[in-house]
Amino acid sequence: MLKVDKSQEPEYLTQTKRQIKNPKSSDAWQDPAIKSIRTQLREEMLNHQSGMCAYCEKTITLDKSHIDHFRMRDRFPEQTLAFSNLWVSCGSDKDQQKHCAHHKDVQKLTKDDFLALPEFVDLDLSRVEFTETGRLVAKDPKDTVMI
């Protein structure tokens, strides 16, 4: 999964969230105020993700992308509008069967499964390299960095 700095929520999202009656409900995503900024939000997020799907890291375009709630709205309604929970994945709403978010969602993960997922680990890329098969390994076999 792609690592992206999500520490700075866009100001227009913050302002829009203030207009929502119940921003911590799963229905908040359907509010007209949120609908009005979705394209702008998806475009900005796609730029932060270097034009790549957050899950498979393939190059994607604005018209072939989808805003995904990593922690699903029905299980984590309080995170429906949390910027840290929003990612852009490949595919679109019209093509739901073919985007990474759909494949994540059909895994039937429970709320506890999501809570057990580790946070991202900062990795010093100067200490690792990819093998020919794409495996990530420490350059120095004595290195104790967790990969």
Side-chain angles (χ1 to χ4, degrees):
M1 185 168 171
L2 192 63
K3 181 179 178 185
V4 177
D5 178 9
K6 308 239 7 175
S7 61
Q8 189 68 20
E9 179 177 274
E11 182 60 30
Y12 64 88
L13 176 58
T14 305
Q15 295 293 330
T16 303
K17 287 172 24 175
R18 291 183 184 136
Q19 301 173 30
I20 312 299
K21 268 187 186 175
N22 191 358
K24 297 194 179 212
S25 112
S26 61
D27 294 336
W29 192 245
Q30 301 308 321
D31 189 281
I34 293 297
K35 284 185 172 185
S36 73
I37 65 164
R38 276 198 212 156
T39 300
Q40 179 183 4
L41 182 60
R42 188 170 67 237
E43 184 173 23
E44 183 167 342
M45 291 169 57
L46 193 57
N47 285 335
H48 281 110
Q49 292 177 206
S50 302
M52 295 187 292
C53 172
Y55 303 108
C56 69
E57 299 184 23
K58 289 183 181 175
T59 300
I60 55 177
T61 61
L62 187 61
D63 64 327
K64 294 286 185 185
S65 62
H66 165 86
I67 295 178
D68 178 50
H69 294 80
F70 179 73
R71 290 189 164 102
M72 298 159 62
R73 291 182 290 155
D74 62 337
R75 295 187 188 126
F76 295 87
E78 71 283 359
Q79 291 190 24
T80 296
L81 300 180
F83 184 61
S84 61
N85 191 45
L86 302 176
W87 298 87
V88 178
S89 75
C90 54
S92 66
D93 286 331
K94 295 173 190 161
D95 197 16
Q96 288 185 1
Q97 300 295 318
K98 295 184 179 176
H99 60 72
C100 287
H102 169 77
H103 294 291
K104 171 190 61 85
D105 292 345
V106 298
Q107 298 302 312
K108 308 286 188 216
L109 298 173
T110 67
K111 187 170 184 171
D112 288 339
D113 292 331
F114 278 101
L115 293 173
L117 292 172
E119 294 297 318
F120 288 105
V121 175
D122 283 322
L123 188 62
D124 182 350
L125 295 177
S126 68
R127 294 170 54 193
V128 296
E129 62 188 0
F130 288 96
T131 65
E132 290 176 7
T133 61
R135 187 166 169 251
L136 193 61
V137 297
K139 288 181 179 177
D140 180 351
K142 297 176 196 161
D143 200 337
T144 58
V145 66
M146 295 212 30
I147 301 175

